[in-house]
Amino acid sequence: MNAAALLGRLKVNPLSRFSRKAGKAPPRFAGDDDAPRRPKPVALMAAAGTVIAILGGIAGWATLFGDHAAEQWSAAVPAVTVTVAAPPPPPAPAPPPAAAAPPPAMAALSNGGATGGAVPTAPTAEFPLAPAPAMGLVEDSRFGPLPRTAEDGRRPWQVYARPFPPGDKRPRIAIVIADMGLSGVTTMNGLQKLPPAVTLSFVPYAERLDSWIERARTKGHEVMMSIPMEPVSFPRDDPGPNALLSGMSVDRLIERLNMSLGKGVGYVGITTTTGSKFTTKAEVMTPVIDAVKQRGLLFLDAKVAPRSVGASMAEAAGVPRAWVDKVIDRDLARGSIDDQLKELETIARTQGAAVGLGFPYPSTIERINLWVTGLQDRGIALVPVSAVANMQKGNGG
C-alpha cells in the first residue's frame, strides 16, 4: 500500500501538526462546512441607503440654514475693513518763474565788457562766460566756424573775454598757460586747480578740443588758440599739423590759419609757442596779422624769439596786442618759479601791466595757486589777458 492511500484511511491532515505548534487554527479550504460566509446583498444595500440619507439631510440643512450660519461665523471671526481712497488729482503745473537777472559776469559780456565795479574781481571766482558761438560773431566755412567781427561792431576778443572792471587801477598781471589739450591728464589737472582768472591757450589739434574749451569757459577761464608756426629748428622739430611755414604762399598760409581757427569757438585771440623763425619775418607775419584784425581777435606775442615782430606789427595794424614779459617755468624748481612771479610783480608796478607764460606742469600750478593767495594784499590784480591788451608800454622788443 502506498503512502497516499494510508493517509487517506487514517484521515490525517499533514499540516495540522505544524499548525498546532504555531498556535493557529489550520487553514480552511473551499468546501469546509465552517468557513465564513460573504455578506448578503441585502445588508450592503441597507448600508448604502443609510449613507445617502445622511448626505441628503446635510444638504437640506445647508439649504435652509446655511446663510444664517455663515453670518454667525463671520460675526465670530475678527476682521478689519480698509477703505481705499481714490488718488488725489495731480497738482496744476506751477507758472514759470520770472527770468532771473543775469549774473554780473554775463551782464558784462552782453554789454561788451563795460560794467564798472559790478564785475567780481576775485581771481578764484568761477562763473560761466558768454555762450559761444555768439550770434553775429561766427562765419560758416569749409574749415568750420570762424570768428568774425559782427555788423554792429562787436568783436570776439571782447565778447568772449572774462570781464574785469576797467576802472580798477591796480597793477595787472595776466598769466597764460600754454599747450593745453596736448595731454588729457595735464589739461584736466589745470582745469581743476588753476584760478579761473588764468588764461588758457589750447593747441588746435588737441583731441576733444570743443569739450576742453567749453569746460574752461564754464569755469570762467578766458581762452586763446595757440597756432603752430615754424621754429628755427624746423624740420628737426615738428610744430604740429597745419603749421605756418615761412616758405608758403599767402593763400596757403591763410588756408592753414583757417584750418586751425575753425577747430573751436569762444577764444579771444591767438598766440604761438613754436614760431621762433616765423614770427621774425614781417613778410609772412603781415597776412596773419591782417587776418587777426579782420576776425576781431587779439594777438599775444609769446616772444619765443627775441627779434619777434608780432607785437609791433599788431600795434601798427590796430590789432589789440600784448606780449610775454616772463616765462615763469623755464626752470621747474619751486624757488625759480617763485622768483619769476616776483619779477612780474615788479614789472606790473612799474609798467602798469605784465604778462607771464607757463605750461601746465604740476609745480607751475602749485606755485601759481600759492602766489595768488597773497596777491590782493600786495595790491596787484590777476587778470585775463584781454584786460592787459594795449596796456604794456613799448613794443615788447
Side-chain angles (χ1 to χ4, degrees), residues 251-275:
D251 290 343
R252 185 59 173 159
L253 287 174
I254 297 303
E255 181 182 49
R256 285 202 169 190
L257 176 62
N258 288 339
M259 286 180 180
S260 293
L261 295 179
K263 297 295 185 181
V265 293
Y267 48 88
V268 298
I270 71 168
T271 187
T272 182
T273 59
T274 59

Side-chain angles (χ1 to χ4, degrees), residues 111-124:
N111 293 328
T115 61
V119 180
T121 59
T124 56

Side-chain angles (χ1 to χ4, degrees), residues 18-383:
F18 301 100
S19 299
R20 284 195 298 268
K21 288 184 178 180
K24 298 181 181 179
R28 299 179 182 274
F29 297 95
D32 290 347
D33 294 338
D34 56 349
R37 303 192 180 273
R38 296 179 181 176
K40 296 181 179 181
V42 176
L44 291 176
M45 293 176 64
T50 302
V51 172
I52 292 173
I54 293 173
L55 293 176
I58 293 174
W61 181 88
T63 302
L64 294 175
F65 305 104
D67 293 341
H68 178 68
E71 292 177 359
Q72 290 183 335
W73 175 263
S74 299
V77 177
V80 177
T81 301
V82 178
T83 302
V84 180
M106 300 302 290
L109 290 165
S110 63
N111 293 328
T115 61
V119 180
T121 59
T124 56
E126 294 186 11
F127 51 82
L129 304 186
M135 185 170 295
L137 295 180
V138 63
E139 171 190 328
D140 293 330
S141 75
R142 63 188 179 94
F143 307 108
L146 297 176
R148 57 170 292 225
T149 300
E151 293 181 1
D152 58 8
R154 290 175 299 125
R155 293 183 287 178
W157 82 272
Q158 295 170 316
V159 175
Y160 296 143
R162 176 185 171 98
F164 185 79
D168 192 323
K169 302 303 181 184
R170 291 178 295 169
R172 304 178 184 185
I173 296 178
I175 299 294
V176 179
I177 299 298
D179 287 357
M180 294 290 285
L182 284 177
S183 164
V185 174
T186 57
T187 300
M188 180 59 73
N189 188 50
L191 287 176
Q192 291 177 341
K193 297 180 179 179
L194 282 167
V198 171
T199 301
L200 305 181
S201 182
F202 287 86
V203 293
Y205 46 84
E207 294 183 2
R208 300 181 297 162
L209 179 61
D210 286 340
S211 176
W212 289 128
I213 291 178
E214 182 179 1
R215 290 187 188 187
R217 301 188 75 254
T218 298
K219 291 188 59 123
H221 290 284
E222 195 167 275
V223 173
M224 300 192 75
M225 196 76 84
S226 186
I227 304 299
M229 299 183 185
E230 182 180 3
V232 173
S233 55
F234 183 80
R236 184 177 68 252
D237 293 329
D238 184 3
N242 299 317
L244 308 186
L245 306 177
S246 56
M248 290 180 174
S249 66
V250 172
D251 290 343
R252 185 59 173 159
L253 287 174
I254 297 303
E255 181 182 49
R256 285 202 169 190
L257 176 62
N258 288 339
M259 286 180 180
S260 293
L261 295 179
K263 297 295 185 181
V265 293
Y267 48 88
V268 298
I270 71 168
T271 187
T272 182
T273 59
T274 59
S276 55
K277 179 178 180 180
F278 191 91
T279 58
T280 64
K281 298 183 176 297
E283 65 273 16
V284 292
M285 282 296 295
T286 297
V288 173
I289 296 297
D290 290 344
V292 171
K293 180 179 181 178
Q294 175 191 356
R295 302 204 172 279
L297 302 173
L298 67 82
F299 180 79
L300 172 66
D301 193 342
K303 292 296 179 183
V304 288
R307 297 183 296 107
S308 173
V309 297
S312 59
M313 292 185 65
E315 183 175 11
V319 173
R321 52 77 178 145
W323 62 79
V324 171
D325 294 291
K326 292 287 180 180
V327 177
I328 63 175
D329 52 6
R330 291 189 193 278
D331 184 344
L332 290 176
R334 290 181 174 85
S336 176
I337 295 174
D338 293 342
D339 290 343
Q340 299 302 311
L341 292 171
K342 289 178 181 177
E343 290 192 27
L344 284 175
E345 292 186 33
T346 301
I347 296 171
R349 288 192 178 95
T350 303
Q351 304 290 334
V355 178
L357 178 71
F359 299 87
Y361 304 124
S363 56
T364 303
I365 296 171
E366 173 196 337
R367 304 321 292 176
I368 288 175
N369 281 318
L370 183 62
W371 170 70
V372 166
T373 57
L375 198 60
Q376 187 170 352
D377 294 338
R378 297 193 292 275
I380 295 176
L382 176 64
V383 300

